[in-house]
Amino acid sequence: MGNFDARQLLKDKKFWFASFLIGWAAALQGHMMWLQKQDSFQKKFGTVSQGNDIDEQA
């Protein structure tokens, strides 16, 4: 196993680019999951404005 030098790794631009890319991809994945959850909630319960329209008709 080679000698691991953390200081050299922190200076490496490739390391920071890869870290940024992984973080961005994880954030995008989380955002897409959140949007999907919001969409399924909206399909199940409808929106607030739709609920108010039903109340006004009754």
Short mmCIF file of all heavy atoms in Angstrom, two decimals:
data_model
loop_
_atom_site.label_atom_id
_atom_site.label_comp_id
_atom_site.label_asym_id
_atom_site.label_seq_id
_atom_site.Cartn_x
_atom_site.Cartn_y
_atom_site.Cartn_z
N MET A 1 0.85 -1.18 0.00
CA MET A 1 0.00 0.00 0.00
C MET A 1 0.89 1.24 0.00
O MET A 1 1.87 1.31 0.75
CB MET A 1 -0.88 -0.04 1.25
CG MET A 1 -2.20 0.62 1.07
SD MET A 1 -3.27 0.00 2.39
CE MET A 1 -4.43 1.25 2.42
N GLY A 2 0.55 2.22 -0.82
CA GLY A 2 1.38 3.41 -0.93
C GLY A 2 1.18 4.37 0.24
O GLY A 2 0.28 4.22 1.05
N ASN A 3 2.05 5.33 0.33
CA ASN A 3 1.96 6.33 1.39
C ASN A 3 0.83 7.31 1.06
O ASN A 3 0.83 7.94 0.02
CB ASN A 3 3.30 7.07 1.50
CG ASN A 3 3.32 8.00 2.69
OD1 ASN A 3 2.43 7.95 3.54
ND2 ASN A 3 4.34 8.83 2.76
N PHE A 4 -0.14 7.42 1.95
CA PHE A 4 -1.29 8.29 1.72
C PHE A 4 -0.99 9.68 2.26
O PHE A 4 -0.73 9.84 3.45
CB PHE A 4 -2.54 7.71 2.40
CG PHE A 4 -3.77 8.54 2.21
CD1 PHE A 4 -4.42 8.57 0.99
CD2 PHE A 4 -4.27 9.33 3.23
CE1 PHE A 4 -5.55 9.33 0.80
CE2 PHE A 4 -5.40 10.10 3.06
CZ PHE A 4 -6.04 10.09 1.83
N ASP A 5 -1.01 10.66 1.38
CA ASP A 5 -0.72 12.04 1.79
C ASP A 5 -1.98 12.89 1.62
O ASP A 5 -2.36 13.22 0.50
CB ASP A 5 0.44 12.59 0.94
CG ASP A 5 0.95 13.92 1.48
OD1 ASP A 5 0.46 14.35 2.54
OD2 ASP A 5 1.83 14.51 0.83
N ALA A 6 -2.63 13.22 2.72
CA ALA A 6 -3.88 13.98 2.67
C ALA A 6 -3.66 15.39 2.16
O ALA A 6 -4.50 15.94 1.45
CB ALA A 6 -4.51 14.01 4.05
N ARG A 7 -2.51 15.98 2.52
CA ARG A 7 -2.24 17.36 2.07
C ARG A 7 -2.14 17.44 0.55
O ARG A 7 -2.63 18.39 -0.05
CB ARG A 7 -0.96 17.89 2.72
CG ARG A 7 -1.18 18.31 4.17
CD ARG A 7 0.12 18.71 4.80
NE ARG A 7 0.88 17.49 5.08
CZ ARG A 7 2.13 17.45 5.46
NH1 ARG A 7 2.82 18.56 5.58
NH2 ARG A 7 2.73 16.30 5.70
N GLN A 8 -1.51 16.44 -0.04
CA GLN A 8 -1.38 16.42 -1.50
C GLN A 8 -2.76 16.24 -2.14
O GLN A 8 -3.07 16.85 -3.16
CB GLN A 8 -0.44 15.30 -1.94
CG GLN A 8 -0.15 15.29 -3.42
CD GLN A 8 0.57 16.57 -3.88
OE1 GLN A 8 1.38 17.12 -3.16
NE2 GLN A 8 0.25 17.03 -5.07
N LEU A 9 -3.61 15.40 -1.52
CA LEU A 9 -4.95 15.16 -2.04
C LEU A 9 -5.79 16.44 -2.01
O LEU A 9 -6.51 16.75 -2.95
CB LEU A 9 -5.63 14.06 -1.23
CG LEU A 9 -7.03 13.65 -1.68
CD1 LEU A 9 -6.99 13.04 -3.07
CD2 LEU A 9 -7.63 12.66 -0.70
N LEU A 10 -5.68 17.20 -0.92
CA LEU A 10 -6.46 18.44 -0.80
C LEU A 10 -6.02 19.50 -1.79
O LEU A 10 -6.79 20.39 -2.12
CB LEU A 10 -6.37 18.98 0.63
CG LEU A 10 -7.08 18.12 1.69
CD1 LEU A 10 -6.83 18.69 3.08
CD2 LEU A 10 -8.57 18.05 1.41
N LYS A 11 -4.80 19.41 -2.27
CA LYS A 11 -4.31 20.36 -3.28
C LYS A 11 -4.73 19.97 -4.69
O LYS A 11 -4.65 20.77 -5.61
CB LYS A 11 -2.79 20.44 -3.22
CG LYS A 11 -2.26 21.13 -1.98
CD LYS A 11 -0.74 21.15 -2.01
CE LYS A 11 -0.17 21.75 -0.74
NZ LYS A 11 1.28 21.69 -0.72
N ASP A 12 -5.16 18.72 -4.87
CA ASP A 12 -5.47 18.19 -6.20
C ASP A 12 -6.81 18.72 -6.69
O ASP A 12 -7.84 18.54 -6.04
CB ASP A 12 -5.49 16.67 -6.15
CG ASP A 12 -5.48 16.04 -7.53
OD1 ASP A 12 -5.43 16.79 -8.52
OD2 ASP A 12 -5.52 14.80 -7.61
N LYS A 13 -6.81 19.39 -7.83
CA LYS A 13 -8.04 19.95 -8.38
C LYS A 13 -9.02 18.86 -8.82
O LYS A 13 -10.23 19.05 -8.75
CB LYS A 13 -7.72 20.87 -9.55
CG LYS A 13 -7.02 22.14 -9.12
CD LYS A 13 -6.71 23.03 -10.29
CE LYS A 13 -5.97 24.28 -9.83
NZ LYS A 13 -5.57 25.12 -10.95
N LYS A 14 -8.49 17.72 -9.27
CA LYS A 14 -9.36 16.61 -9.67
C LYS A 14 -10.19 16.12 -8.50
O LYS A 14 -11.36 15.76 -8.65
CB LYS A 14 -8.54 15.45 -10.23
CG LYS A 14 -7.90 15.73 -11.56
CD LYS A 14 -7.11 14.51 -12.00
CE LYS A 14 -6.23 14.84 -13.18
NZ LYS A 14 -5.36 13.71 -13.51
N PHE A 15 -9.58 16.08 -7.30
CA PHE A 15 -10.29 15.65 -6.10
C PHE A 15 -11.46 16.57 -5.80
O PHE A 15 -12.58 16.12 -5.53
CB PHE A 15 -9.32 15.63 -4.91
CG PHE A 15 -10.00 15.49 -3.58
CD1 PHE A 15 -10.48 14.26 -3.17
CD2 PHE A 15 -10.16 16.58 -2.74
CE1 PHE A 15 -11.10 14.12 -1.94
CE2 PHE A 15 -10.79 16.45 -1.52
CZ PHE A 15 -11.26 15.21 -1.11
N TRP A 16 -11.24 17.89 -5.88
CA TRP A 16 -12.31 18.84 -5.59
C TRP A 16 -13.39 18.80 -6.65
O TRP A 16 -14.58 18.90 -6.35
CB TRP A 16 -11.74 20.26 -5.48
CG TRP A 16 -10.95 20.41 -4.22
CD1 TRP A 16 -9.60 20.56 -4.13
CD2 TRP A 16 -11.43 20.37 -2.88
NE1 TRP A 16 -9.23 20.63 -2.81
CE2 TRP A 16 -10.33 20.53 -2.02
CE3 TRP A 16 -12.70 20.22 -2.31
CZ2 TRP A 16 -10.46 20.53 -0.63
CZ3 TRP A 16 -12.84 20.22 -0.93
CH2 TRP A 16 -11.73 20.38 -0.12
N PHE A 17 -13.00 18.61 -7.91
CA PHE A 17 -13.99 18.51 -8.98
C PHE A 17 -14.85 17.26 -8.80
O PHE A 17 -16.08 17.32 -8.92
CB PHE A 17 -13.29 18.49 -10.35
CG PHE A 17 -14.25 18.37 -11.49
CD1 PHE A 17 -15.03 19.45 -11.86
CD2 PHE A 17 -14.39 17.18 -12.18
CE1 PHE A 17 -15.94 19.35 -12.92
CE2 PHE A 17 -15.29 17.07 -13.24
CZ PHE A 17 -16.07 18.16 -13.60
N ALA A 18 -14.22 16.14 -8.49
CA ALA A 18 -14.96 14.89 -8.28
C ALA A 18 -15.89 15.02 -7.07
O ALA A 18 -17.04 14.57 -7.11
CB ALA A 18 -14.00 13.73 -8.10
N SER A 19 -15.40 15.65 -6.01
CA SER A 19 -16.22 15.83 -4.81
C SER A 19 -17.43 16.71 -5.12
O SER A 19 -18.55 16.43 -4.69
CB SER A 19 -15.42 16.47 -3.69
OG SER A 19 -14.35 15.64 -3.33
N PHE A 20 -17.21 17.78 -5.86
CA PHE A 20 -18.30 18.67 -6.24
C PHE A 20 -19.32 17.94 -7.11
O PHE A 20 -20.53 18.06 -6.92
CB PHE A 20 -17.76 19.89 -6.99
CG PHE A 20 -18.84 20.76 -7.57
CD1 PHE A 20 -19.56 21.62 -6.76
CD2 PHE A 20 -19.13 20.70 -8.93
CE1 PHE A 20 -20.56 22.41 -7.28
CE2 PHE A 20 -20.14 21.48 -9.46
CZ PHE A 20 -20.85 22.34 -8.64
N LEU A 21 -18.83 17.15 -8.05
CA LEU A 21 -19.72 16.42 -8.96
C LEU A 21 -20.57 15.40 -8.20
O LEU A 21 -21.77 15.29 -8.44
CB LEU A 21 -18.87 15.71 -10.02
CG LEU A 21 -19.59 15.26 -11.28
CD1 LEU A 21 -20.18 16.46 -12.00
CD2 LEU A 21 -18.63 14.52 -12.19
N ILE A 22 -19.97 14.69 -7.26
CA ILE A 22 -20.71 13.72 -6.45
C ILE A 22 -21.74 14.43 -5.59
O ILE A 22 -22.89 13.99 -5.48
CB ILE A 22 -19.74 12.89 -5.59
CG1 ILE A 22 -18.92 11.97 -6.49
CG2 ILE A 22 -20.48 12.09 -4.53
CD1 ILE A 22 -17.75 11.31 -5.81
N GLY A 23 -21.37 15.55 -4.98
CA GLY A 23 -22.31 16.31 -4.17
C GLY A 23 -23.46 16.85 -5.00
O GLY A 23 -24.63 16.82 -4.57
N TRP A 24 -23.16 17.34 -6.19
CA TRP A 24 -24.20 17.87 -7.07
C TRP A 24 -25.16 16.77 -7.49
O TRP A 24 -26.38 16.96 -7.49
CB TRP A 24 -23.55 18.52 -8.29
CG TRP A 24 -24.53 19.01 -9.29
CD1 TRP A 24 -25.20 20.20 -9.25
CD2 TRP A 24 -24.98 18.34 -10.47
NE1 TRP A 24 -26.03 20.30 -10.34
CE2 TRP A 24 -25.92 19.16 -11.10
CE3 TRP A 24 -24.67 17.10 -11.04
CZ2 TRP A 24 -26.55 18.80 -12.28
CZ3 TRP A 24 -25.30 16.74 -12.22
CH2 TRP A 24 -26.23 17.58 -12.82
N ALA A 25 -24.61 15.60 -7.84
CA ALA A 25 -25.46 14.48 -8.26
C ALA A 25 -26.35 14.02 -7.11
O ALA A 25 -27.53 13.71 -7.32
CB ALA A 25 -24.59 13.33 -8.76
N ALA A 26 -25.82 13.98 -5.90
CA ALA A 26 -26.62 13.58 -4.74
C ALA A 26 -27.73 14.59 -4.47
O ALA A 26 -28.86 14.23 -4.17
CB ALA A 26 -25.72 13.43 -3.52
N ALA A 27 -27.42 15.88 -4.60
CA ALA A 27 -28.43 16.92 -4.39
C ALA A 27 -29.51 16.83 -5.46
O ALA A 27 -30.70 16.98 -5.16
CB ALA A 27 -27.77 18.29 -4.40
N LEU A 28 -29.12 16.58 -6.69
CA LEU A 28 -30.10 16.45 -7.77
C LEU A 28 -31.01 15.25 -7.53
O LEU A 28 -32.23 15.33 -7.71
CB LEU A 28 -29.37 16.31 -9.12
CG LEU A 28 -30.26 16.21 -10.35
CD1 LEU A 28 -31.07 17.50 -10.53
CD2 LEU A 28 -29.43 15.94 -11.59
N GLN A 29 -30.42 14.13 -7.10
CA GLN A 29 -31.20 12.93 -6.81
C GLN A 29 -32.20 13.21 -5.69
O GLN A 29 -33.38 12.84 -5.79
CB GLN A 29 -30.26 11.80 -6.39
CG GLN A 29 -30.95 10.51 -6.04
CD GLN A 29 -31.43 9.75 -7.24
OE1 GLN A 29 -30.96 9.96 -8.34
NE2 GLN A 29 -32.37 8.85 -7.04
N GLY A 30 -31.75 13.89 -4.65
CA GLY A 30 -32.65 14.23 -3.54
C GLY A 30 -33.76 15.16 -3.98
O GLY A 30 -34.90 15.02 -3.56
N HIS A 31 -33.43 16.11 -4.82
CA HIS A 31 -34.43 17.06 -5.32
C HIS A 31 -35.47 16.34 -6.17
O HIS A 31 -36.67 16.60 -6.05
CB HIS A 31 -33.74 18.15 -6.13
CG HIS A 31 -34.68 19.17 -6.70
ND1 HIS A 31 -35.43 20.00 -5.91
CD2 HIS A 31 -35.02 19.45 -7.98
CE1 HIS A 31 -36.17 20.77 -6.69
NE2 HIS A 31 -35.94 20.45 -7.95
N MET A 32 -35.01 15.42 -7.03
CA MET A 32 -35.95 14.67 -7.87
C MET A 32 -36.86 13.79 -7.02
O MET A 32 -38.06 13.67 -7.29
CB MET A 32 -35.19 13.82 -8.89
CG MET A 32 -34.41 14.65 -9.90
SD MET A 32 -35.41 15.83 -10.81
CE MET A 32 -36.24 14.75 -11.93
N MET A 33 -36.32 13.18 -5.97
CA MET A 33 -37.14 12.36 -5.08
C MET A 33 -38.17 13.23 -4.37
O MET A 33 -39.32 12.83 -4.19
CB MET A 33 -36.26 11.64 -4.06
CG MET A 33 -35.46 10.51 -4.65
SD MET A 33 -34.26 9.81 -3.51
CE MET A 33 -35.31 9.21 -2.22
N TRP A 34 -37.76 14.44 -3.95
CA TRP A 34 -38.68 15.35 -3.28
C TRP A 34 -39.80 15.77 -4.23
O TRP A 34 -40.97 15.81 -3.84
CB TRP A 34 -37.91 16.57 -2.78
CG TRP A 34 -38.75 17.55 -2.04
CD1 TRP A 34 -39.14 17.47 -0.73
CD2 TRP A 34 -39.32 18.76 -2.55
NE1 TRP A 34 -39.91 18.55 -0.41
CE2 TRP A 34 -40.04 19.37 -1.50
CE3 TRP A 34 -39.28 19.39 -3.79
CZ2 TRP A 34 -40.71 20.57 -1.66
CZ3 TRP A 34 -39.95 20.58 -3.94
CH2 TRP A 34 -40.65 21.16 -2.89
N LEU A 35 -39.46 16.08 -5.49
CA LEU A 35 -40.48 16.45 -6.46
C LEU A 35 -41.46 15.31 -6.71
O LEU A 35 -42.67 15.52 -6.82
CB LEU A 35 -39.83 16.85 -7.79
CG LEU A 35 -39.16 18.21 -7.84
CD1 LEU A 35 -38.50 18.41 -9.21
CD2 LEU A 35 -40.15 19.32 -7.56
N GLN A 36 -40.94 14.09 -6.77
CA GLN A 36 -41.80 12.92 -6.98
C GLN A 36 -42.75 12.74 -5.81
O GLN A 36 -43.93 12.43 -5.98
CB GLN A 36 -40.92 11.68 -7.16
CG GLN A 36 -41.66 10.48 -7.68
CD GLN A 36 -40.72 9.33 -7.98
OE1 GLN A 36 -39.64 9.24 -7.40
NE2 GLN A 36 -41.12 8.46 -8.88
N LYS A 37 -42.24 12.96 -4.60
CA LYS A 37 -43.08 12.84 -3.40
C LYS A 37 -44.17 13.91 -3.41
O LYS A 37 -45.32 13.64 -3.08
CB LYS A 37 -42.21 12.97 -2.16
CG LYS A 37 -42.93 12.62 -0.88
CD LYS A 37 -42.03 12.79 0.33
CE LYS A 37 -40.99 11.70 0.36
NZ LYS A 37 -40.19 11.73 1.61
N GLN A 38 -43.81 15.13 -3.80
CA GLN A 38 -44.79 16.20 -3.88
C GLN A 38 -45.86 15.89 -4.91
O GLN A 38 -47.04 16.13 -4.70
CB GLN A 38 -44.10 17.53 -4.25
CG GLN A 38 -43.13 18.03 -3.22
CD GLN A 38 -43.80 18.42 -1.94
OE1 GLN A 38 -44.81 19.09 -1.94
NE2 GLN A 38 -43.24 17.98 -0.83
N ASP A 39 -45.45 15.32 -6.05
CA ASP A 39 -46.38 15.00 -7.12
C ASP A 39 -47.35 13.91 -6.69
O ASP A 39 -48.56 14.01 -6.93
CB ASP A 39 -45.60 14.57 -8.36
CG ASP A 39 -46.48 14.50 -9.60
OD1 ASP A 39 -47.34 15.39 -9.75
OD2 ASP A 39 -46.29 13.58 -10.41
N SER A 40 -46.83 12.87 -6.03
CA SER A 40 -47.72 11.79 -5.60
C SER A 40 -48.67 12.28 -4.51
O SER A 40 -49.83 11.87 -4.46
CB SER A 40 -46.91 10.59 -5.11
OG SER A 40 -46.18 10.90 -3.95
N PHE A 41 -48.20 13.17 -3.64
CA PHE A 41 -49.07 13.74 -2.61
C PHE A 41 -50.18 14.56 -3.26
O PHE A 41 -51.34 14.48 -2.86
CB PHE A 41 -48.24 14.63 -1.68
CG PHE A 41 -49.04 15.24 -0.56
CD1 PHE A 41 -49.25 14.55 0.61
CD2 PHE A 41 -49.57 16.51 -0.69
CE1 PHE A 41 -49.99 15.10 1.64
CE2 PHE A 41 -50.30 17.08 0.33
CZ PHE A 41 -50.51 16.37 1.50
N GLN A 42 -49.82 15.32 -4.30
CA GLN A 42 -50.81 16.16 -4.99
C GLN A 42 -51.86 15.30 -5.70
O GLN A 42 -53.04 15.62 -5.68
CB GLN A 42 -50.09 17.06 -5.97
CG GLN A 42 -50.93 18.20 -6.48
CD GLN A 42 -50.12 19.16 -7.34
OE1 GLN A 42 -49.24 18.73 -8.09
NE2 GLN A 42 -50.39 20.43 -7.23
N LYS A 43 -51.42 14.18 -6.29
CA LYS A 43 -52.36 13.29 -6.95
C LYS A 43 -53.30 12.64 -5.94
O LYS A 43 -54.48 12.41 -6.23
CB LYS A 43 -51.61 12.20 -7.73
CG LYS A 43 -50.99 12.70 -9.01
CD LYS A 43 -50.26 11.59 -9.73
CE LYS A 43 -49.59 12.12 -10.97
NZ LYS A 43 -48.74 11.11 -11.62
N LYS A 44 -52.78 12.34 -4.76
CA LYS A 44 -53.58 11.65 -3.75
C LYS A 44 -54.57 12.59 -3.08
O LYS A 44 -55.73 12.24 -2.88
CB LYS A 44 -52.64 11.04 -2.71
CG LYS A 44 -53.33 10.13 -1.72
CD LYS A 44 -52.30 9.44 -0.85
CE LYS A 44 -52.98 8.45 0.09
NZ LYS A 44 -52.01 7.76 0.93
N PHE A 45 -54.14 13.79 -2.74
CA PHE A 45 -54.97 14.70 -1.96
C PHE A 45 -55.45 15.92 -2.72
O PHE A 45 -56.30 16.65 -2.22
CB PHE A 45 -54.19 15.17 -0.72
CG PHE A 45 -53.86 14.06 0.22
CD1 PHE A 45 -52.56 13.61 0.34
CD2 PHE A 45 -54.84 13.44 0.98
CE1 PHE A 45 -52.24 12.58 1.21
CE2 PHE A 45 -54.54 12.42 1.85
CZ PHE A 45 -53.23 11.99 1.96
N GLY A 46 -54.92 16.17 -3.90
CA GLY A 46 -55.29 17.37 -4.64
C GLY A 46 -54.61 18.60 -4.07
O GLY A 46 -53.87 18.53 -3.09
N THR A 47 -54.86 19.74 -4.68
CA THR A 47 -54.25 20.98 -4.21
C THR A 47 -55.21 21.70 -3.27
O THR A 47 -56.39 21.38 -3.19
CB THR A 47 -53.90 21.90 -5.39
OG1 THR A 47 -55.10 22.18 -6.10
CG2 THR A 47 -52.91 21.25 -6.32
N VAL A 48 -54.72 22.70 -2.60
CA VAL A 48 -55.55 23.48 -1.67
C VAL A 48 -56.65 24.20 -2.44
O VAL A 48 -57.80 24.24 -2.00
CB VAL A 48 -54.67 24.50 -0.90
CG1 VAL A 48 -55.54 25.39 -0.03
CG2 VAL A 48 -53.65 23.76 -0.07
N SER A 49 -56.34 24.73 -3.62
CA SER A 49 -57.35 25.46 -4.39
C SER A 49 -58.46 24.51 -4.85
O SER A 49 -59.63 24.90 -4.88
CB SER A 49 -56.72 26.16 -5.58
OG SER A 49 -56.13 25.22 -6.45
N GLN A 50 -58.12 23.28 -5.20
CA GLN A 50 -59.16 22.32 -5.59
C GLN A 50 -60.06 22.00 -4.39
O GLN A 50 -61.26 21.90 -4.54
CB GLN A 50 -58.52 21.02 -6.10
CG GLN A 50 -57.88 21.16 -7.46
CD GLN A 50 -57.15 19.89 -7.87
OE1 GLN A 50 -56.82 19.05 -7.03
NE2 GLN A 50 -56.87 19.77 -9.15
N GLY A 51 -59.47 21.89 -3.22
CA GLY A 51 -60.25 21.62 -2.02
C GLY A 51 -61.20 22.76 -1.72
O GLY A 51 -62.36 22.54 -1.34
N ASN A 52 -60.78 23.99 -1.91
CA ASN A 52 -61.63 25.14 -1.66
C ASN A 52 -62.77 25.20 -2.66
O ASN A 52 -63.89 25.58 -2.31
CB ASN A 52 -60.82 26.44 -1.73
CG ASN A 52 -59.88 26.57 -0.55
OD1 ASN A 52 -60.06 25.92 0.48
ND2 ASN A 52 -58.86 27.40 -0.70
N ASP A 53 -62.53 24.81 -3.90
CA ASP A 53 -63.58 24.82 -4.92
C ASP A 53 -64.68 23.83 -4.55
O ASP A 53 -65.86 24.09 -4.71
CB ASP A 53 -63.01 24.47 -6.29
CG ASP A 53 -62.09 25.57 -6.83
OD1 ASP A 53 -62.16 26.68 -6.30
OD2 ASP A 53 -61.35 25.30 -7.77
N ILE A 54 -64.29 22.68 -4.03
CA ILE A 54 -65.27 21.66 -3.65
C ILE A 54 -66.11 22.18 -2.49
O ILE A 54 -67.33 21.99 -2.44
CB ILE A 54 -64.55 20.34 -3.29
CG1 ILE A 54 -63.91 19.76 -4.56
CG2 ILE A 54 -65.53 19.35 -2.69
CD1 ILE A 54 -62.99 18.59 -4.28
N ASP A 55 -65.47 22.84 -1.52
CA ASP A 55 -66.21 23.37 -0.39
C ASP A 55 -67.22 24.43 -0.82
O ASP A 55 -68.32 24.51 -0.27
CB ASP A 55 -65.24 23.99 0.63
CG ASP A 55 -64.40 22.93 1.32
OD1 ASP A 55 -64.80 21.75 1.29
OD2 ASP A 55 -63.35 23.29 1.89
N GLU A 56 -66.86 25.27 -1.81
CA GLU A 56 -67.76 26.32 -2.26
C GLU A 56 -68.97 25.76 -2.98
O GLU A 56 -70.06 26.31 -2.91
CB GLU A 56 -67.01 27.30 -3.18
CG GLU A 56 -65.97 28.14 -2.43
CD GLU A 56 -65.10 28.93 -3.40
OE1 GLU A 56 -65.35 28.88 -4.61
OE2 GLU A 56 -64.17 29.60 -2.93
N GLN A 57 -68.82 24.63 -3.68
CA GLN A 57 -69.92 24.04 -4.42
C GLN A 57 -70.92 23.37 -3.48
O GLN A 57 -72.10 23.29 -3.79
CB GLN A 57 -69.40 23.00 -5.43
CG GLN A 57 -68.60 23.62 -6.56
CD GLN A 57 -67.94 22.56 -7.43
OE1 GLN A 57 -68.01 21.38 -7.12
NE2 GLN A 57 -67.29 22.99 -8.50
N ALA A 58 -70.51 22.89 -2.36
CA ALA A 58 -71.38 22.14 -1.44
C ALA A 58 -72.41 23.01 -0.76
O ALA A 58 -72.39 24.15 -0.63
CB ALA A 58 -70.53 21.44 -0.40
#
